[in-house]
Amino acid sequence: MKLTALITVIVCGALLIANAMHFPDFGDVNSPASTHLSPHFIENTLDDANVPNIVTTTLGDYRGYDTMYETAVVFTAGLACFFLLRRKESVNPPARFYRHTPTGITLRIEEGGTLPDENSKVFMRIDSLWAPDSLIVRNTCRLIIAFIQLFALYVVAHGHHSPGGGFQGGVLLGSSIILFAISNDLRRTIKRFGEKTSALLGALGVLIYAGTGFFCLLLGFQFLNYKALAPIFRSTDAMARSHGILCIEIGVALAVMAVMIWIYYNLSSAGKHDEGL
């Protein structure tokens, strides 16, 4: 089996190297991309999609198929991490640690001992790898997170007209949840944004992207041809393409955000979702 895998890797690598020799030189001004594609995109972006951000138009419209598959690859990475790391059995540590909130005293309760109520406001469970509790860190992050999320929504919605888009906005949204986990604890974060929520939102993001394309098909146009949306939005063809790009950018943002969080939960806790960063 190992020999077969090794031969497969060598053959595929050799094919990639052999075909790479036929590519234009890096930065070649006479390559097809430089003489045909790039000038067309630069000159026609505003007329075709009413979007001044050429990068967003290229990713979401001109090469929308490629970006859709990239979004699917992101979701697949989350699935792979889940299947490889997630441990479904309950893994309880030999001892649990709780902080008595009024006094700051830390209690160690061995296995079999009486545990405080998980919803107790007097005793707060802390991880075995103890870290000093910082009121400043927790409250500062709590304030910052709201502004990060607000800016993330702006990046998604305004990606047509300035640097931004679904990937960037999704990373910011995911980072805000991860920041909450780091400044508090993993268990409290999972209560607010659970594993199932991450999985469902990741799948929903891919579905929104592909669903937009299939909706265009149902209206009698090509897959991901956003001109089909013009009658629905009561707009010109160019503005319909702009709205279509926004739809798929929302899907990309949801997928990237959810998968980032999903992967973080599994990596930071070794798949146990109990103790971790």
Side-chain angles (χ1 to χ4, degrees), residues 2-268:
K2 291 183 178 180
L3 180 61
T4 304
L6 179 62
I7 293 173
T8 303
V9 171
I10 292 175
V11 170
C12 290
L15 289 173
L16 288 172
I17 294 172
N19 284 281
M21 302 302 294
H22 299 287
F23 290 164
D25 293 334
F26 183 76
D28 184 4
V29 295
N30 296 316
S31 67
S34 299
T35 56
H36 300 291
L37 291 177
S38 296
H40 175 79
F41 293 159
I42 294 171
E43 294 169 4
N44 296 285
T45 293
L46 274 174
D47 294 333
D48 289 345
N50 199 27
V51 175
N53 189 337
I54 300 173
V55 175
T56 302
T57 311
T58 303
L59 293 175
D61 193 336
Y62 293 132
R63 43 154 275 182
Y65 279 87
D66 188 52
T67 305
M68 182 183 70
Y69 290 125
E70 286 180 6
T71 308
V73 166
V74 169
F75 180 66
T76 304
L79 280 175
C81 188
F82 171 79
F83 285 118
L84 290 173
L85 294 178
R86 187 69 172 101
R87 300 174 64 179
K88 294 184 179 179
E89 69 273 11
S90 178
V91 181
N92 294 321
R96 286 192 177 184
F97 295 85
Y98 288 85
R99 179 181 292 114
H100 186 240
T101 306
T103 62
I105 296 175
T106 300
L107 302 177
R108 174 190 173 99
I109 302 178
E110 297 289 342
E111 186 176 6
T114 302
L115 301 175
D117 184 5
E118 290 293 335
N119 297 319
S120 173
K121 296 182 179 179
V122 178
F123 292 95
M124 183 178 71
R125 186 182 168 191
I126 59 177
D127 291 344
S128 302
L129 296 175
W130 182 79
D133 181 48
S134 175
L135 182 66
I136 295 176
V137 171
R138 281 192 285 109
N139 288 337
T140 301
C141 290
R142 185 176 298 175
L143 291 173
I144 292 174
I145 286 169
F147 289 100
I148 293 175
Q149 293 175 340
L150 182 63
F151 180 64
L153 296 176
Y154 169 82
V155 167
V156 175
H158 209 258
H160 301 55
H161 303 277
S162 62
F167 286 102
Q168 296 87 338
V171 168
L172 286 169
L173 286 170
S175 299
S176 68
I177 303 298
I178 293 174
L179 178 62
F180 182 86
I182 294 173
S183 59
N184 288 269
D185 60 65
L186 191 64
R187 295 176 299 278
R188 195 177 308 180
T189 310
I190 292 177
K191 279 186 179 180
R192 288 164 171 77
F193 199 101
E195 179 185 27
K196 290 183 179 178
T197 303
S198 300
L200 289 174
L201 285 180
L204 178 62
V206 179
L207 182 62
I208 289 175
Y209 200 132
T212 302
F214 281 113
F215 189 61
C216 295
L217 278 177
L218 292 175
L219 295 175
F221 285 73
Q222 297 93 343
F223 188 77
L224 289 177
N225 187 345
Y226 309 126
K227 290 182 181 179
L229 305 177
I232 297 174
F233 291 116
R234 297 182 180 180
S235 63
T236 62
D237 290 347
M239 185 56 71
R241 291 177 73 170
S242 175
H243 294 326
I245 292 173
L246 177 59
C247 291
I248 63 102
E249 291 286 3
I250 292 172
V252 170
L254 286 176
V256 171
M257 172 197 71
V259 172
M260 270 187 64
I261 297 168
W262 200 11
I263 291 176
Y264 175 81
Y265 285 169
N266 286 291
L267 287 179
S268 65

